[in-house]
């Protein structure tokens, strides 16, 4: 008990700085002199209601650039559907522009109705200057902090009429470099949109004139005039270049409430209480009982007659009666081994992403870094998947080792490819820029060979399990050994551990898309507590199953570990229907992506449940003297 508390406190102390660190710069700063040109790049429009992004210049109601050029993208940016391009907005360091005409765009009635629909769906525009997204400025509810939301609204609804924002006021904040005051660093990029029914081909005479009419979308053909203003402000009091992303990371739920990290710490404390309670249960119920049972079992003298030994064993109750049959191979051992191997692969990739994110190596300044690095780590962990799967499969006397290796390499990734490919078809049909082809070449050319190599090494290792060739008959089982009971009983407590953090993650990913999730220190703490919870519940359930003289614990340990993912998926679907609802395409994409994510979570949890139970079973039966 004391050692567990000491371990949790040590982990807490190590990860405490990570829970408050916002941003560790991974890119060198750009220095500008007065009048230096600074490019403004446009990316895409996104909405938390539809989940369908659209490339900025693919939309007919925005002026096309005179000299279009596409910005090269990394793997992660391609995967997330970015289409970054240069624009005709002219920015020069330190030079204010009161108003400048950009261009006029004629739209048809259908295009006007499409623009009105996108305004209704609350689409947000993403621009980029010096690797910073254009920000909308907000104030917390307690009016103590200012924070940013990435992007700005393309329009608004006032009195039931859609207004398209066709004028933007760009405010860029700079700070002189410490080593050379003549060099300037951009520390903030704010955008203030406005709807103005200005004259075509020029700027309005006065932008702030009282009664200046807005540009309203009526569903009829129209001519839209786009203008912009630019203002530079020196800022020596706000965040500097090193922590300029902190203003974005304070957004979303945290920024709106101004409550900081209090809720997260309460969640961590409650989760630690659950782990301590489970640990006490294992200490009181299992350790004491097992110690007494093992001592009684080993006290039988070896010189007793066979009749007396049989009588003693018959009088013994519980887990000792299945000693010779406890490692009975499960049904479908090939599929079981493949799932465990895939769980190890996903766990290794997830752990790598979490650690790199907490250390600041992966941060919002590295656009697309999360998806790109996650894919590379998953592919690289294919060797571990093949190795673990082969060790487990050969332990069950599996003979078709090549087929098992191919199943491990293709089954789980193949299902993911099919689901994501189907979602991409839906996205393509909607004309969205998020339609990205699945990187099949990386999987086939890198991941599959690594899995086969790992399987080749694993097949040449000694067996890790010794099982009885003659399985015994299983006695009638109580209700709680059924599959549905495993899901209900095994998933409730782990779901309670992740519930609070799950709400924050869901809101950040699917609602507050103008903010960034940054509490990776908390996420690592919750992940460690969740892993301990799954291990302990799997051990308790496996012990109860063996006490009921049921040696078929392999699949049930997997289901116990994977069951929290089912709870998370059901809760997520209910949450989305209550918070978002309505639009079917967004709902379909949400269910599909959450299904893939929860499936990966279930494989990791199932793997943890099996490996924890296997270590426990070897430990308790290894303490019994051989006959």
């Amino acid at each position: 008990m004391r050692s567990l508390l000491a371990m949790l406190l040590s982990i807490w102390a190590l990860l405490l700085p990570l829970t408050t660190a916002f941003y560790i710069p991974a890119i060198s700063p750009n220095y500008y002199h007065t009048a230096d040109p600074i490019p403004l790049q446009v990316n895409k429009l996104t909405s938390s209601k539809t989940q369908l992004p659209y490339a900025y210049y693919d939309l007919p109601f925005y002026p096309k650039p005179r000299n279009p050029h596409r910005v090269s993208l990394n793997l992660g940016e391609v995967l997330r559907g970015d289409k970054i391009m240069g624009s005709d907005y002219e920015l020069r360091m330190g030079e204010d522009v009161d108003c400048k005409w950009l261009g006029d765009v004629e739209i048809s009635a259908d295009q006007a109705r499409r623009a009105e629909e996108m305004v209704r769906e609350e689409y947000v525009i993403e621009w980029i200057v010096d690797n910073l997204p254009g920000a909308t400025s907000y104030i917390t509810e307690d009016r103590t902090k200012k924070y940013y939301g990435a992007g700005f609204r393309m329009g608004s609804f006032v009195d039931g009429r859609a207004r398209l924002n066709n004028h933007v006021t760009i405010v860029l904040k700079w700070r002189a470099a410490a080593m050379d005051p003549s060099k300037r660093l951009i520390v903030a990029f704010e955008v203030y949109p406005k709807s103005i029914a200005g004259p075509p081909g020029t700027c309005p005479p006065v932008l702030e004139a009282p009664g200046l009419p807005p540009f309203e979308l009526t569903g009829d053909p129209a001519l839209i005039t786009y203008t912009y203003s630019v203002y530079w402000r020196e800022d020596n009091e706000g965040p500097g270049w090193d922590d300029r992303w902190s203003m974005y990371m304070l957004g979303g739920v945290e920024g709106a409430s101004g409550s900081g990290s209090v809720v997260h710490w309460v969640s961590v404390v409650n989760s630690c209480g659950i782990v301590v309670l489970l640990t006490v249960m294992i200490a009181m119920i299992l350790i004491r009982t097992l110690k007494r049972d093992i001592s009684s079992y080993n006290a039988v003298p070896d010189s007793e007659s066979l009749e007396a030994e049989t009588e003693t064993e018959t009088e013994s109750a519980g887990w000792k009666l299945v000693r010779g049959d406890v490692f009975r191979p499960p049904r479908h051992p090939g599929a079981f081994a493949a799932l465990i191997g895939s769980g190890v692969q996903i766990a290794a990739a997830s752990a790598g992403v979490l650690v790199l994110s907490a250390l600041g190596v992966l941060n919002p300044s590295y656009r697309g870094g999360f998806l790109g690095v996650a894919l590379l780590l998953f592919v690289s962990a294919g060797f571990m998947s093949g190795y673990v799967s082969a060790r487990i499969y050969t332990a069950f006397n599996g003979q078709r080792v090549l087929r098992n290796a191919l199943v491990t390499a293709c089954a789980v990734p193949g299902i993911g490819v099919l689901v994501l490919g189907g979602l991409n078809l839906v996205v393509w049909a909607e004309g969205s820029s998020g339609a990205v082809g699945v990187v099949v070449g990386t999987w086939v050319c890198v991941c599959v060979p690594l899995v086969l190599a790992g399987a080749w090494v694993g097949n040449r290792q000694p067996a890790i399990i010794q099982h009885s060739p003659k399985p015994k008959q299983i006695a009638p089982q109580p209700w709680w050994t059924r599959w549905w009971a495993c899901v209900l009983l095994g998933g409730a407590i782990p779901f309670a551990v992740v519930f609070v953090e799950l709400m924050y993650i869901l809101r950040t990913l699917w609602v507050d898309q103008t903010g960034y999730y940054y509490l990776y220190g908390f996420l690592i703490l919750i992940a460690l507590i969740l892993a301990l919870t799954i291990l302990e519940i799997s051990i308790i359930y496996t012990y109860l199953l063996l006490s009921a003289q049921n040696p078929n614990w392999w699949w049930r340990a997997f289901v116990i570990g994977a069951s929290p993912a089912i709870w998370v998926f059901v809760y997520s679907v209910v949450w989305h229907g209550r918070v978002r609802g309505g639009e079917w395409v967004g709902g379909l994409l949400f269910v599909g992506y959450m299904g893939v994510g929860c499936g990966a979570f279930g494989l990791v949890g199932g793997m943890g449940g099996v490996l924890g139970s296997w270590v426990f079973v070897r430990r308790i039966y290894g303490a019994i003297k051989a006959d």
Side-chain angles (χ1 to χ4, degrees), residues 18 21-27 353-366 520:
L18 302 182
F22 291 123
Y23 167 63
I24 298 177
I27 300 176
V353 170
L354 280 178
V355 172
L356 292 175
S357 300
L359 294 176
V361 177
L362 294 180
N363 55 69
S365 69
Y366 181 18
Y520 295 103

Side-chain angles (χ1 to χ4, degrees), residues 166-456:
N166 58 337
H167 176 86
V168 291
T169 299
I170 300 171
V171 177
L172 291 155
K173 298 182 179 181
W174 60 272
R175 181 174 299 182
M179 302 300 295
D180 186 354
S182 66
K183 296 180 179 179
R184 298 179 177 182
L185 296 166
I186 296 177
V187 296
F189 172 27
E190 300 176 359
V191 181
Y192 298 90
K194 189 175 183 179
S195 179
I196 300 176
T202 185
C203 286
V206 182
L207 286 174
E208 302 299 333
L212 191 66
F215 179 83
E216 294 184 343
L217 296 166
T218 60
D220 299 325
L223 179 67
I224 310 174
T225 300
Y226 285 91
T227 56
Y228 66 98
S229 304
V230 182
Y231 297 100
W232 293 87
R233 298 290 182 265
E234 183 176 7
D235 184 2
N236 294 317
E237 297 180 357
W241 191 91
D242 289 344
D243 57 347
R244 59 182 184 168
W245 281 91
S246 62
M247 297 292 290
Y248 297 87
M249 296 177 181
L250 290 173
V253 179
E254 293 282 329
S257 63
S259 60
S261 303
V262 175
V263 177
H264 293 277
W265 283 119
V266 173
S267 172
V268 170
V269 172
N270 291 337
S271 301
C272 288
I274 294 175
V275 171
V276 171
L277 178 62
L278 291 175
T279 304
V280 171
M281 290 178 59
I282 290 180
M284 296 181 62
I285 299 175
L286 299 187
I287 296 179
R288 286 187 178 182
T289 303
L290 290 174
K291 184 176 181 180
R292 184 181 65 248
D293 289 352
I294 291 172
S295 299
S296 174
Y297 191 87
N298 290 338
V300 179
D302 295 338
S303 58
E304 281 192 28
S305 62
L306 178 62
E307 181 179 354
E309 183 179 353
T310 304
E311 181 180 353
T312 303
E313 184 174 344
T314 303
E315 292 175 355
S316 300
W319 58 277
K320 300 179 295 299
L321 295 179
V322 294
R323 178 168 63 97
D325 196 24
V326 69
F327 289 122
R328 174 190 299 190
R331 291 184 178 180
H332 313 294
F336 182 83
L339 292 177
I340 300 300
S342 297
V344 171
Q345 184 179 8
I346 297 172
S350 302
V353 170
L354 280 178
V355 172
L356 292 175
S357 300
L359 294 176
V361 177
L362 294 180
N363 55 69
S365 69
Y366 181 18
R367 201 178 310 275
F370 294 96
L371 286 177
V373 172
L375 177 62
L376 293 178
L377 288 176
F378 176 80
V379 170
S380 302
F383 183 88
M384 300 172 61
S385 174
Y387 179 83
V388 173
S389 177
R391 294 296 304 274
I392 294 176
Y393 183 68
T394 54
F396 295 142
N397 291 334
Q399 302 300 319
R400 300 179 178 179
V401 293
L402 178 59
R403 188 182 72 169
N404 174 73
L406 291 175
V407 169
T408 304
C410 300
V412 171
I415 293 175
V417 166
L418 289 176
V419 174
L420 295 177
L423 296 177
N424 277 340
L425 291 178
V426 175
V427 172
W428 281 333
E430 295 292 327
S432 170
S433 66
V436 180
V438 181
V439 190
V440 179
T442 306
W443 166 40
V444 174
C445 299
V446 181
C447 185
V448 173
L450 285 176
V451 172
L452 296 179
W456 182 82

